């Protein structure tokens, strides 16, 4: 990483405001966005274009990495052009380019990162290789004026983590999943219930007609003092029960039980994190980001937990909760503001823990298939 302090555009030289193009291609969304960051930390989204590949993957019941990478190659040009046009800025008005460099499906990450490098090289702009999780971590700052520090629960299809967010490049992981992410559990159980992909929203709709009280699903990690998560036992138990469901009511009842169990675990682990966080910080803000934050039961349960602990509760607008490039552009702009620039040979990383120290210290999350991504 190189530390620089000279910004390129006339606007930034005059006002200190930074305008950054962000690119996101780590999973099944091709996204580009232009974000402006004022010297006092206020973010303005000038454009945010997201092309979802859901239709390309639906037939397979999940994201197919090869199809995703090819689709990113086809879409990245047009999506970026649209983001620039909608923002109404030219390339000479940009101060930098930010691209997700991991963690994620590496074929896709390479597409966005290479594209970002090409723009940086062609326009002589600084490149910021951004950790996708860092993007989610700052996403609350896109919808409202949110000051650091805050406690974040990031809960999506690929991630389930509790993070103490003190600023860009300054975050501590308090807990992570030891197996599946919560969204992954929603999706896989939904698949066992024949609800299609992505299953989370469909499972939530079905659960509205059910009453899960009659199902006794496993409660993982009860009584453990850390803030980690585990959803694989629940996933296996619920998938088995799905095979025994005979009526539509059985299925709705199971969906309700699953949703309640996931919400309960998220809330129990967040409760621990809030208590630990409150010992270190005076401010009390709890932010929930990621696609699973769309779930009404999850949200309501977490909101109640936050209130019990004296925390204010914030979930960014859905457009910034799920994968998008505005969060990558903002993380990039905050990095640029601090002079944290990446080299043009920055590598695409399938696994990249946001808090490398916690990932190395914690023996349950060794580098490897599970640990580094989680
Ligand atoms: O953040 P996101 O768009 O993508 C990443 O995984 O990064 O999150 C997608 C995940 C999927 O697992 C999806 O099933 C889940 O969020 N999700 C939901 C709901 N809406 C999206 N899960 C439960 N209830 C929902 N309403
Ligand atoms: Zn994500």
């Amino acid at each position: 990483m190189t530390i620089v302090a000279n910004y390129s555009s006339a606007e930034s030289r005059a006002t200190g405001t930074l305008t950054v193009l962000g690119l996101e291609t780590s999973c099944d969304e091709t996204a580009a966005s232009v974000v402006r960051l004022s010297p006092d930390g206020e973010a303005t989204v000038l454009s945010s274009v997201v092309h979802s590949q859901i239709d390309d993957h639906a037939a397979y019941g999940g994201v197919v990495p090869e199809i995703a990478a090819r689709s990113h190659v086809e879409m990245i040009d047009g999506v970026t052009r649209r983001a620039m046009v909608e923002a109404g800025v030219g390339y000479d008005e940009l101060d930098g380019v930010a691209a997700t460099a991991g963690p994620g499906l590496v074929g896709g990450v390479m597409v966005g990162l290479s594209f970002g490098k090409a723009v940086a090289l062609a326009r002589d702009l600084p490149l910021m290789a951004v950790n996708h999780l860092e993007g989610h971590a700052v996403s609350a700052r896109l919808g409202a004026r949110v000051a650091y520090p805050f406690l974040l629960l990031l809960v999506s299809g690929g991630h389930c983590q509790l993070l103490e967010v003190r600023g860009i490049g300054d975050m501590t992981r308090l807990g992570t999943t030891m197996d599946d992410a919560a969204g992954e559990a929603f999706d896989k159980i939904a698949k066992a219930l024949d609800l299609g992909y992505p299953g989370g929203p469909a499972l939530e709709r079905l659960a509205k007609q059910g009453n899960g009280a009659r199902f006794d699903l496993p409660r993982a990690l009860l009584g453990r003092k850390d803030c980690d998560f585990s959803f694989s036992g629940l996933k296996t138990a619920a998938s088995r029960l799905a095979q025994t469901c005979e009526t539509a009511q059985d299925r709705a009842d199971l969906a309700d039980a699953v949703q309640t169990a996931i919400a309960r675990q998220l809330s129990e682990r967040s409760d621990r994190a809030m208590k630990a966080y409150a010992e270190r910080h005076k401010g009390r803000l709890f932010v929930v980001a990621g696609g699973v934050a769309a779930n009404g039961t999850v949200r309501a349960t977490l909101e109640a937990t936050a209130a019990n602990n004296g925390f204010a509760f914030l979930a960014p607008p859905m457009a910034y909760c799920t994968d998008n490039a505005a969060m990558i552009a903002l993380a990039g702009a905050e990095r640029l503001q601090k002079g944290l620039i990446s080299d043009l040979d920055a590598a695409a990383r399938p696994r990249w823990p946001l808090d490398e120290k916690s990932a190395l210290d914690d023996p349950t999350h060794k580098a490897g298939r599970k640990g580094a991504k989680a």
Side-chain angles (χ1 to χ4, degrees), residues 24 26-27 132-133 136 154 156-159 290 321-324 327:
E24 160 58 38
S26 67
C27 192
H132 179 82
L133 303 174
H136 277 297
L154 168 55
S156 69
H159 322 288
C321 258
T322 53
D323 283 353
N324 66 86
M327 66 186 194

Side-chain angles (χ1 to χ4, degrees), residues 78-101:
V79 165
T80 305
R81 196 174 311 125
R82 245 185 78 196
M84 292 297 289
V85 169
E86 284 181 17
V89 301
Y91 280 92
D92 53 354
E93 290 167 83
L94 292 178
D95 297 291
V97 187
T100 299

Side-chain angles (χ1 to χ4, degrees), residues 136-141 146-153 163-167 171 277 281 283-288 311 314:
H136 277 297
V138 302
S139 64
R141 290 166 45 72
V146 175
Y148 296 117
F150 52 84
L151 176 65
L152 174 82
L153 172 66
L163 293 160
E164 185 174 310
V165 182
R166 294 179 298 272
M171 304 179 189
Y277 180 94
H281 298 279
R284 304 261 192 280
L285 174 62
F286 179 63
V287 176
V288 187
F311 274 68
L314 179 73

Side-chain angles (χ1 to χ4, degrees), residues 26-29 63 103-105 132-133 136 154-161 173 176-188 197 231 289-292 321-323 350-352 369-374:
S26 67
C27 192
D28 59 345
E29 268 101 15
V63 178
L105 300 173
H132 179 82
L133 303 174
H136 277 297
L154 168 55
V155 67
S156 69
H159 322 288
C160 189
Q161 313 205 333
R173 192 179 75 186
T176 186
T177 181
M178 302 190 322
D179 37 60
D180 296 328
E184 207 173 345
F186 267 117
D187 290 339
K188 288 187 177 155
Y197 170 82
F231 294 101
V292 179
C321 258
T322 53
D323 283 353
R351 321 240 163 245
W352 184 6
R369 201 182 81 78
K370 303 253 164 69
K373 183 179 176 206

